[in-house]
Each structure stands twice: as C-alpha cells, then as structure tokens.
Amino acid sequence: MTNWERFVDSFFNARVAVEYFPKIVEGFWLTIVLAACIIVTGLAAGLLLAVVRAFAIRPLNLLIIFVVDLFRALPPLVIIALLYFGLPAAGLSMDGFVCAWIALAAVLMAFSEEIFWAGITAVPKGQWEAARSTGLGFLQTLGYVVLPQALRMTIPPLTNRTIAITKGTALASVVAVPDILGAANAGVSFSFNPTPLTMGAAAYLVLFLPVVIFGRWVETRFAWKR
Amino acid sequence: MAIVEATGIHKHFGALHVLKGVDLVVEEKQLVFVIGPSGSGKSTLLRCLNRLEEPSGGAIVVDGVDMLSPRTDINKARQRIGMVFQSFNLYPHMTALGNVTLALRKVLGLGRAEAEKRGQAALDRVHLADRAGHFPGQLSGGQQQRVAIARAIALEPRVMLFDEPTSALDPELVGGVLEAMRELRQDGMTMVVVSHEMAFARAAADRVVFMADGAVVESGTPDEVFGNPQHERTKAFIGQIGRH
Amino acid sequence: MTWDDFVLAFFSWQIVSEAWPILWDGLQRTILMSIMVVPLGFIGGTILALLSTVHNPWIRWPAAVWTDVFRALPPLVLLIFLYAGVPFTGLEISAWGAVAIGFFLNTGSYYGEILRAGIESVPRGQQEAARSTGLTRWQTMQYIVLPQAFRNVLPDLISNTLEVVKLTSIASVVALPELLFQARQAQSVTYNATPIVAAAVIYFILLWPMVRVLSRLENKALASRR
C-alpha cells in the first residue's frame, strides 16, 4: 500500500463509514438534544439570577457573584468529573447525560448572568426614573422598559458565548454519553479504524460551521453604534 | 516652477465617475484654494495627489516625481507631501511628540534625540511646544489639528495638502488652526487647501479653483472668482455661501 | 449519610495530604502547558489576523475558512483526532504533540478572530495618516494599527486566555498527566472524591483573580458601548 492508499483506507474507509453512519447520526441527534437542554436551562437560569441581582439584596448578590465567578473559573470538564465521578461518593449517581447537562448549563448560567447584568446596568438611570415616575412598579419597569433595551445590547456577546459553551457538549463523551464524539470513539475502538472520527469531525462541522457563521452575522447585524 | 502638476485626472468608484479629467497646477510658494459644493470631488482630487486614492487615469507629477509610475517608491514620495485631515487622525496611543516623531524615526531613519529635536521644533512652529507630552485625548480639537500640522511639516515637505482642516472644529477653535496655516504660508510653504473658510480664502489664497460635478468650472485670483465669477454655477455657489 | 461521612468523602484533609505530591505534579504540568499553548495560539492568531487584512482574496479567503473551521470543531474532537486518529497512518504523535498542534489550531483561530475584529476597529483615517507621512504598509501595521487593535480588544484577549487555561484540562482525556488527570488517578486509587474537589479548588484559586479583572473590564466595555 502506498502512503496515500493507507491514508485513504484509514480516514475515508467506505466500508467502515457505511457501518457506523447510523451510530454517528444517533450521536448527532443526541448532541442537538443535549445542546438544546443546556441552552434553554442555562440562559433561563442566567436571566433569573440577573433579575434577582437587580433587587440589590446585598447578601444575595454576594452569593450570586460568587457562584458566577466559580463557574467562570472552573473548567467545564472538572465540573463534569466532579458530578460524575465525585458525587457517587455521596450516594448520588447520575447518568453522564445529566451530568454534562447540569455542568454546562451551570457554566452558561454564569456567563449569561454576567452578560445580562452588564446589559441591565448599561441602561441609563434616567430610564428607570422615567418609568417609575409614571407609576410603573419595579418589576414592571424591569420587564417593560429596562430588559428590552438590555437584551438587545447583550445579543452579540450572548450568541458567541452560547456557541462556545455548546461546543463543550463533546466533553460528554468523557462520561460515556454516546453523543457524536462518543459514538465516533466507540466506532474507532470497535472497527480499529479512525474513519468514524473523520465522520464525527464532519458531523460537528455540519452542526457548528453554520452556527459560527451565524454568530459572526449577528455580531455585525447588532453592531454597536459608536 | 510648478510643484504639483496634475493633468487629466479621472477617478471612478465603481459606476460612479467622481473626477472627470481634472487639471491642477500649483506653483512653488503658492496657496491654492479648492472650493465647491459637497460631492464635487475636491477631497478625492486632493487624496489622489498623494495616492491615498488611486486615480483611474491621468498623470500626476509632484516636485518632479511621477507619482503614478510603478517605479516610484510611493513611501519616499509621500515624505515630500504633507497631509492634514478633517478628522485629525492623530494616533491616540502616542503623545503629541510621539505622533510627530514616528515618521521621522521610521521613515527618515533619524535617531531618537535628533527626531525629538526636530519634533519639538515642529510643535513650536504651531505654538504647542508645551503640549509635547500630552496625549491626543487631553488636547482640544484645535490643538489636535495643530499637532497634525506639526506631524506633517516635521518631514519638511515640498507641498502641504489640507483636507477640510477646520470642518470638524467648534467655531471658537478654528482661528488657531487658520493662524498656523497663515504662518506656514508666510514661511513660503506651497499649499493646496480644500475648505469652506471663504474669508480665509479671500485673504490668503493666491488662486481659487471652483469645482463642481468632478470637474474644474473656473479658477483665478480670489478677487476674480469671488468678485466677478464667470459661470452660473460659481455665482450660485458663492451667492449661497455669502448668505450664510 | 451523616455530615461526617460527607466531609470524609469530599473534604478529607488526610486524602489531600496523601494526594498532594501527585496533584502538585499535575498542577505544574497544567501551568507548563498553559505557558506553552497561550503564546502558540497568540502567534497563530496574529498571523491569521494579518492574513485577513491582505487584499489578495487567494490569501484572505483561505485564512477566513481556516478560522471558521477550527472555531467550529470542538477542541476535544480535534485533540482526539490527532491523538487517536492520526497514529493509524503510522505517524505517532505524543500527547504533548497532539496538545500543541490541537491548541495551535483551535486557540489560534479564536485569537485570530479577536485580533481581526481589533484591527477592523481602528479607524481607516489612522492608516491614511500614517501612509501619508511615508510609513510603509507593514510599519503602519506595526506602529499604528496593531497597538491600538490590541488595546481595543484587551478584554476579549484576556477572556480567551482564561478559556485556554481552563481548556488545558481536556488534555486529561489523552492521558497527559495534568491536574485533572492526576486528580482522577488519585480519586480512583483512594475511592474518595476529595482529590477532584481539591483540583477544583486549585483551579478556582488560580483563575479567580482573572475572572474578577475580566468582570470589571467587561462591564466597563458594555457600558461605554451604548
């Protein structure tokens, strides 16, 4: 075999590709489901924390800031390992999917709270005062006047951060979740051929390349007026 | 002797024909004023002279150097052509002195001490010697523009181009910049100025060029162009300016 | 499970002191890896950003596609592909080699995208002023554009550097004995979660100051952008 034939046989082996294609497709859907769970819960929790923070209750805010800092400083894989390998010591066993979900949602919560909060504080004080002077309550002011302005400002950084964290779903393969990477890894060890990894990489590109390009578009579309 | 000789300059931006065969000759030690309504192509003409804008056709000779020849080292040629911009374009991360000395050191290759001596002298000529250590953000608009003038004259250019140098300034800051320009003129600097400062044009210009729709409509001494305009468009433009 | 059991399983001083040599060993490797991959990615990113400013589309476009592809591929996928896939061609890559190449590709693309945005944020007039004084294109880049570009995107550069340091934890998956890997080793030997908790605490102590600095910079940036 020439080097080139060996290369093709390794990375683009048609027989192996056909055999493991269904597994990769299953992994593809699982990755999407995991990503969706993370995005929905992570962003919701982040927004909730930012709103709570707006009430300016000092001990509560210090707690929020600590939690946010914690999940910004810890590597996601460390959090996943803590949940998956550590918690059973407390008699609490969760499956890999749930561990990855909780860990990455917590990370997204931390980053998005920070971004939402920055957006809220960037809305001028005059907006608060104008709304309160017309008799709107605190929550009404927040909901109808401040958040709509704040959210628009946060869209570009939020989009990019969400994309970055969602790519972390590949970490789930480390705790035995058969997502794209998990399925590809399994395929490699069964077939003793790296073609499933090539397919896995291709699957990630199919999934994330449009998302990355979308993120760049959002950045220009919602570009700040300077 | 002509320092600037531009003949038949054309410039297209896509389908837009911005300059339609413009001729411009500037004699040594002359101050030529280019006026005209916005969109007439006067700024584009100015930017073609040092090739910040690439002309689509024509010939430009500045101080005997064929600006459009591929054999011409454009960076060397630009040393002899100072330019002052509407928005100053000072480097915000450098002090006034740093702005002035950068090209002295990196283009002329002067040592730091020599460059700073010349830079100080240039700042002194615009009466800002005491602001050498200030950053652009700490200076008023008028002071920034004078630093920009110092940055250009430090290279001892043969001709200076001014692209609406006072348009971005508050009215009370315009005077200092015009004063600096007047002094330059007294020292014998050859200057091409695109500006709406008509009073300054009347008082200081040797020649006024009126442009409209990418072409020179008429030119002459300030008295001729302002006092006795020949073309309808010139009359209309000057009449409008006069009313303001 | 009693409180004492809980403390014993997660926060046992005895386990920490027993596992400390191996954790310290891992921490040193994590720091060494960071010192290696951050400059590597930074150099790669600067090259990519400079290529994106070239007028020739045959240079600019491949640089843009390169950047997007390696931003779309999850870094763990890239790392496993290099470590577990490439050897099938007969080309052995050590874990360190795989980390170096993988991080160069992934991190370089992120730094590249940030620096490209930084270069674009410098007003066009700056280049025109510099060129009008006779500075060459490269001198203009070096003295005028790049210094301002770096300053404009400093928060993003720091943020990305934080992410890169956190990301070094994925090297544990390819058996590079860094902090997380060593903690997992210690955990499986002692049947106790304390080593992973200890690793998490170390990461937090290491990275918290960076998170604090960033949080301030980001708030300022968003506030000034409206």
Side-chain angles (χ1 to χ4, degrees):
Chain A
M1 261 203 304
T2 64
N3 279 340
W4 173 248
E5 280 166 352
R6 189 150 93 177
F7 176 79
V8 172
D9 182 66
S10 294
F11 289 103
F12 301 95
N13 188 313
R15 187 184 51 75
V16 178
V18 170
E19 192 179 341
Y20 288 95
F21 185 74
K23 288 278 178 210
I24 299 284
V25 171
E26 277 174 40
F28 187 81
W29 293 120
L30 194 62
T31 293
I32 290 181
V33 171
L34 179 56
C37 291
I38 291 164
I39 292 173
V40 171
T41 47
L43 290 182
L47 184 59
L48 183 70
L49 284 192
V51 168
V52 171
R53 197 168 161 186
F55 282 93
I57 304 162
R58 202 168 161 74
L60 212 52
N61 280 11
L62 287 178
L63 184 67
I64 291 173
I65 292 170
F66 176 76
V67 169
V68 165
D69 280 5
L70 182 66
F71 285 112
R72 282 185 72 171
L74 288 185
L77 190 55
V78 172
I79 307 171
I80 293 175
L82 211 50
L83 295 178
Y84 190 79
F85 300 109
L87 274 191
L92 188 62
S93 283
M94 287 185 295
D95 113 311
F97 183 94
V98 177
C99 288
W101 176 6
I102 294 176
L104 291 172
V107 173
L108 182 55
M109 171 189 76
F111 276 97
S112 64
E113 190 280 337
E114 192 78 2
I115 294 171
F116 284 131
W117 176 245
I120 290 174
T121 52
V123 174
K125 233 183 157 51
Q127 294 290 313
W128 283 96
E129 290 167 354
R132 297 305 295 272
S133 76
T134 63
L136 290 180
F138 182 87
L139 272 180
Q140 286 172 314
T141 303
L142 192 62
Y144 296 125
V145 179
V146 174
L147 274 184
Q149 300 180 52
L151 290 186
R152 199 190 136 79
M153 246 181 288
T154 58
I155 286 173
L158 210 53
T159 308
N160 283 331
R161 186 55 70 183
T162 305
I163 294 170
I165 292 169
T166 310
K167 269 191 306 182
T169 51
L171 299 176
S173 65
V174 177
V175 289
V177 176
D179 69 330
I180 299 176
L181 184 55
N185 276 338
V188 174
S189 30
F190 282 125
S191 65
F192 207 66
N193 179 296
T195 300
L197 266 180
T198 312
M199 295 161 71
Y204 276 110
L205 285 184
V206 167
L207 189 58
F208 282 116
L209 206 47
V211 176
V212 164
I213 292 167
F214 170 75
R216 180 178 291 169
W217 177 80
V218 165
E219 193 116 284
T220 40
R221 171 73 180 71
F222 291 86
W224 310 100
K225 292 191 200 86
R226 303 200 178 194
Chain B
M1 194 186 101
I3 299 256
V4 177
E5 262 187 290
T7 28
I9 304 299
H10 283 267
K11 174 66 186 176
H12 298 264
F13 286 116
L16 223 59
H17 200 171
V18 186
L19 293 178
K20 302 165 181 168
V22 174
D23 297 336
L24 183 76
V25 178
V26 182
E27 301 289 332
E28 186 160 13
K29 301 194 174 182
Q30 263 197 345
L31 192 161
V32 172
F33 227 85
V34 184
I35 59 171
S38 61
S40 58
K42 28 187 215 309
S43 282
T44 308
L45 173 65
L46 206 65
R47 293 157 62 84
C48 280
L49 293 182
N50 68 349
R51 265 181 69 190
L52 278 184
E53 223 59 88
E54 203 67 44
S56 323
I60 298 173
V61 179
V62 176
D63 197 27
V65 175
D66 179 358
M67 294 296 288
L68 301 185
S69 159
R71 281 192 304 277
T72 299
D73 179 348
I74 188 65
N75 298 317
K76 245 193 157 56
R78 280 175 178 154
Q79 290 167 33
R80 305 185 224 209
I81 311 174
M83 186 158 195
V84 174
F85 300 83
Q86 177 177 355
S87 48
F88 327 141
N89 294 344
L90 288 187
Y91 315 135
H93 60 305
M94 296 180 181
T95 61
L97 189 62
N99 268 272
V100 177
T101 53
L102 180 68
L104 292 175
R105 294 172 58 197
K106 302 301 171 187
V107 179
L108 298 189
L110 299 182
R112 178 182 282 271
E114 175 67 16
E116 291 189 347
K117 211 175 94 202
R118 269 177 71 170
Q120 275 294 355
L123 285 172
D124 196 34
R125 280 180 74 181
V126 295
H127 309 298
L128 285 174
D130 56 328
R131 298 295 152 95
H134 286 54
F135 284 89
Q138 301 167 314
L139 299 171
S140 76
Q143 290 172 331
Q144 288 191 47
Q145 191 61 301
R146 279 148 63 198
V147 173
I149 292 173
R151 175 172 69 184
I153 61 177
L155 290 160
E156 293 173 357
R158 296 282 284 142
V159 55
M160 288 273 290
L161 312 176
F162 290 84
D163 188 3
E164 308 211 11
T166 56
S167 304
L169 294 176
D170 291 333
E172 75 273 18
L173 299 176
V174 169
V177 172
L178 293 183
E179 185 52 36
M181 290 169 70
R182 199 170 289 130
E183 288 177 13
L184 264 188
R185 156 126 186 82
Q186 277 160 8
D187 295 346
M189 177 64 76
T190 309
M191 296 159 77
V192 185
V193 180
V194 168
S195 166
H196 296 292
E197 300 288 343
M198 295 303 159
F200 182 68
R202 267 179 189 253
D206 294 293
R207 218 151 55 77
V208 174
V209 175
F210 175 71
M211 281 182 73
D213 290 333
V216 173
V217 177
E218 66 175 290
S219 71
T221 64
D223 286 343
E224 288 167 1
V225 175
F226 291 118
N228 184 21
Q230 300 298 307
H231 286 77
E232 282 306 317
R233 295 215 54 170
T234 321
K235 281 179 195 164
F237 179 73
I238 289 170
Q240 237 172 13
I241 295 286
R243 275 201 300 279
H244 282 294
Chain C
M1 180 178 213
T2 66
W3 175 249
D4 286 348
D5 290 342
F6 179 77
V7 169
L8 216 57
F10 288 93
F11 304 97
S12 157
W13 261 118
Q14 201 206 328
I15 300 277
V16 170
S17 55
E18 275 172 22
W20 177 247
I22 180 170
L23 288 177
W24 170 237
D25 182 67
L27 174 59
Q28 284 173 309
R29 236 173 248 112
T30 290
I31 292 172
L32 189 65
M33 203 179 350
S34 305
I35 293 174
M36 174 179 86
V37 296
V38 169
L40 211 55
F42 203 81
I43 292 166
T46 308
I47 293 170
L48 281 177
L50 288 177
L51 290 180
S52 77
T53 66
V54 172
H55 289 299
N56 185 343
W58 290 102
I59 297 174
R60 202 175 62 221
W61 276 98
V65 170
W66 175 286
T67 306
D68 277 356
V69 163
F70 287 109
R71 285 200 314 148
L73 270 185
L76 184 58
V77 176
L78 200 57
L79 188 59
I80 290 184
F81 194 90
L82 289 165
Y83 183 74
V86 170
F88 281 95
T89 62
L91 197 70
E92 285 297 335
I93 301 183
S94 70
W96 279 96
V99 165
I101 299 170
F103 274 70
F104 175 74
L105 297 175
N106 172 73
T107 308
S109 293
Y110 270 94
Y111 277 126
E113 184 67 9
I114 292 169
L115 289 174
R116 186 187 63 79
I119 289 173
E120 282 177 8
S121 75
V122 178
R124 180 120 202 101
Q126 290 288 314
Q127 295 190 37
E128 291 183 343
R131 297 302 301 276
S132 82
T133 63
L135 291 176
T136 63
R137 181 190 292 279
W138 171 239
Q139 284 176 322
T140 303
M141 248 317 149
Q142 196 182 349
Y143 300 116
I144 305 303
V145 179
L146 282 182
Q148 294 184 58
F150 282 129
R151 203 185 53 179
N152 290 355
V153 294
L154 190 62
D156 291 340
L157 288 175
I158 298 176
S159 162
N160 196 49
T161 304
L162 171 68
E163 292 307 306
V164 174
V165 176
K166 281 158 62 178
L167 199 58
T168 57
S169 61
I170 67 172
S172 63
V173 179
V174 296
L176 197 156
E178 45 70 77
L179 183 53
L180 178 58
F181 183 88
Q182 299 293 52
R184 285 268 294 114
Q185 292 291 99
Q187 176 245 348
S188 56
V189 172
T190 56
Y191 295 105
N192 186 297
T194 304
I196 302 185
V197 175
V201 170
I202 293 173
Y203 273 113
F204 184 67
I205 293 172
L206 212 58
L207 298 175
W208 197 28
M210 230 164 139
V211 171
R212 276 286 92 223
V213 169
L214 257 175
S215 171
R216 300 212 158 171
L217 284 177
E218 282 166 357
N219 277 329
K220 240 200 266 173
L222 205 67
S224 68
R225 272 170 162 184
R226 55 162 298 117

